Amino acid sequence: MTPSLARLLCGAALTVLATTASSFAQADPAQLTSPDGRLTIRVETVGGKPALSVLRDGRAVIAPSDIGLTLENRVTVGANETFAAAPVREGVEDYALLGRASHVRSAWREMTLSAPTGDGRPAMQVVLRAYDDGVAFRYRVPAVGDAPLGVVAENTQFAFPTDYTCWGLNLGRFNSSHEGEFDPIPASHIREYNAYDAPLVCETAPGGPAFAIAEADLKAYPGLYLSGRGDGGLGVQAKLAPRLDAPTSAPAVVATARVGQDLETPWRVVMIGDHAGDLIQSTLITDLSEPAAFDASWVKPGKSAWDWWNGGKIAAVPDSGMNTATFKAFIDFAAANGLQYVTIDEGWYRGAGGGGVVRPGADVTQTVPQIDIPELVAYGRSKGVGLFLWLNWKALDAQFDAALAQYQAWGIAGIKVDFMDRDDQQMVDWYHRLLDQAAQHRLMVNLHGAFHPTGLTRTYPNFITQEGVLGAENNKWSSRITAEHNVTLAYTRMLLGPMDYTPGGFDNQTPETFRYKFLLPTVMTTRAHGLAMFVVYESPLQTVADTPDAYAGQPETAFIGQVPTTWDETRFIAGEIGQSIVLARRKGRDWYVGAMTNADGRTVSLPLDFLGRGRFTATIYADGEAPNRTTISTQAVEAGTTLSLALKPSGGAAIRITPR
């Protein structure tokens, strides 16, 4: 068995080899169906070359599309090969997860198409995988001789049979923090010079079947972007960031495999559901990723207080700022309100303060004189509160081994690493190095300035959350964080994995009265809308953004302390992209519901049939008379109850449902 095939088998709790095989060379097309029979991924000859398509219930979602790779020596593999299909394999991914479900069991079927060797060129394999909630494929080029394999271009296309309505984040460049709005766009308006981030979400019909294009199991390869097709047809094609050491003259190398190692791409993923909201429940991205190779029982999800968004202002400390007294007060606040962590942001280490720029003499193993990390760790331990430390990634990289060892010796719970702002192959490799070494030092990791999730949270459960989202920090300097944006995130960016949006702003304004400010910022949605984020937005480490003073004496603070950050079950209830979202999540026998609307007020109906047997008490936080007020009520409910939620413009509702 080759190492690549062994990696594919790893993590499947059950693998059964089928007894039948098909030959693409003799039986065109070769196709693979999902376990429930509704999805088909097909490779057939179109115009004399292989083309891949995806069908749902017999109708094309992805039309026949080009596949293949162009290697460094200008050899294109995949375009002219004759493939033979291996026997179909079947298996089940069965694993624990921190996030939208505590336990995942996903059945799959797989077929490998292989091009035979003949003229000394690297032979190519295309691996097809089908689940009930989506399909995926990846390329594998076996190593040949002692020369490393280099990729110049990935020729993957996703052709659309008609002009879908899509939602995408057009970053337009390779070096960014992956933050922005997922705007609606007709597929026909996506241009070749665009660079859309994953996921690209499209509806095949209004309110009808929807799909998202993404990637999974990213390693030793650059992150995926999508642009319009070069031939002008409907659909998108892969675009990849070049390696930093690639020559400036074309063609630039985007990925290289080590000498003697197979070249294997990430999975190219198409998540599919009857409704866009169905994709929120999918675990396909982690299903396709490698399982953890270490015991992660020490990883503890939770909520964290945070100093940076609110400017570290706290009334209990007259000279509040980057000093020991301030963070003892933050620890006191966290302990009193059900928060498990405090995040200490920029300014604690010597030479900090440059944001994305590392100042000369920066030392991430030494603190500034005003702050005593060991004392804070000990104080936090006495209160049941752990610490996260912020770091510029370049400053950490310069002292990598010494720094991680120091944080473990101090007793730090985790690190928040920032400003990577790249996803070329070298940076992807650095992610794996960091997450692996952090796990060896029992450190959880929160990555900011990070590329889109690719399932690494399964491979490294200590990768507790990440940014790569246009979140609440932007309220400090812009008016971009609208209710429509917040709703859209649930159907787009959140599909791929956790996002450290940092909710909890309690100075709530209407869009008309909102004015951004850097210190003690405000938000342009209602408080109930903000509470709903703690349910709707997935993040095993949920960062609570506002100052402790903002929560003092506020009745809604209790909900923030009670709401979990990991879930046993997630259910989409209602909504449409950009308009509204109603999501229910279960932890044990408790249910939580988050409802959010855009700038339009609306009344949503919430049937509670998911509750099952028994009687329950619902505590409802609904929009009040002003944006910073909620109406809190309780009522007896059961599975036959239907609640009516009146959401004000830019509003929402949050509900806690507990057994009676």
Side-chain angles (χ1 to χ4, degrees), residues 294-371:
F294 61 91
D295 177 12
S297 58
W298 52 271
V299 175
K300 304 298 182 186
K303 296 179 286 277
S304 177
W306 182 38
D307 66 305
W308 183 83
W309 192 79
N310 54 73
K313 302 298 183 183
I314 184 167
V317 183
D319 59 344
S320 58
M322 191 56 61
N323 55 58
T324 299
T326 296
F327 286 101
K328 282 188 175 180
F330 270 91
I331 290 171
D332 290 340
F333 162 73
N337 290 279
L339 312 185
Q340 293 73 32
Y341 300 102
V342 168
T343 297
I344 302 177
D345 215 276
E346 184 176 25
W348 68 267
Y349 62 79
R350 293 186 184 178
V357 177
V358 179
R359 291 176 172 173
D363 188 339
V364 298
T365 67
Q366 301 291 324
T367 66
V368 295
Q370 298 88 350
I371 195 164

Side-chain angles (χ1 to χ4, degrees), residues 262-308:
D262 295 351
L263 174 69
E264 186 176 70
T265 71
W267 291 104
R268 295 332 189 189
V269 183
V270 183
M271 307 167 67
I272 305 176
D274 289 331
H275 185 279
D278 295 338
L279 305 181
I280 298 172
Q281 303 166 171
S282 173
T283 57
L284 188 57
I285 301 301
T286 49
D287 293 348
L288 288 160
S289 298
E290 290 189 11
F294 61 91
D295 177 12
S297 58
W298 52 271
V299 175
K300 304 298 182 186
K303 296 179 286 277
S304 177
W306 182 38
D307 66 305
W308 183 83

Side-chain angles (χ1 to χ4, degrees), residues 511-545:
E512 294 75 22
T513 61
F514 173 83
R515 299 292 183 272
Y516 60 81
K517 56 180 180 175
F518 195 81
L519 291 178
L520 299 175
T522 64
V523 296
M524 66 170 78
T525 54
T526 70
R527 186 165 297 180
H529 182 107
L531 292 179
M533 292 179 184
F534 286 96
V535 180
V536 173
Y537 290 169
E538 178 182 333
S539 184
L541 179 70
Q542 195 71 271
T543 303
V544 180

Side-chain angles (χ1 to χ4, degrees), residues 577-589:
I577 304 177
Q579 298 181 35
S580 65
I581 177 74
V582 183
L583 204 64
R585 299 191 192 262
R586 179 179 62 84
K587 185 75 168 184
R589 292 202 65 201

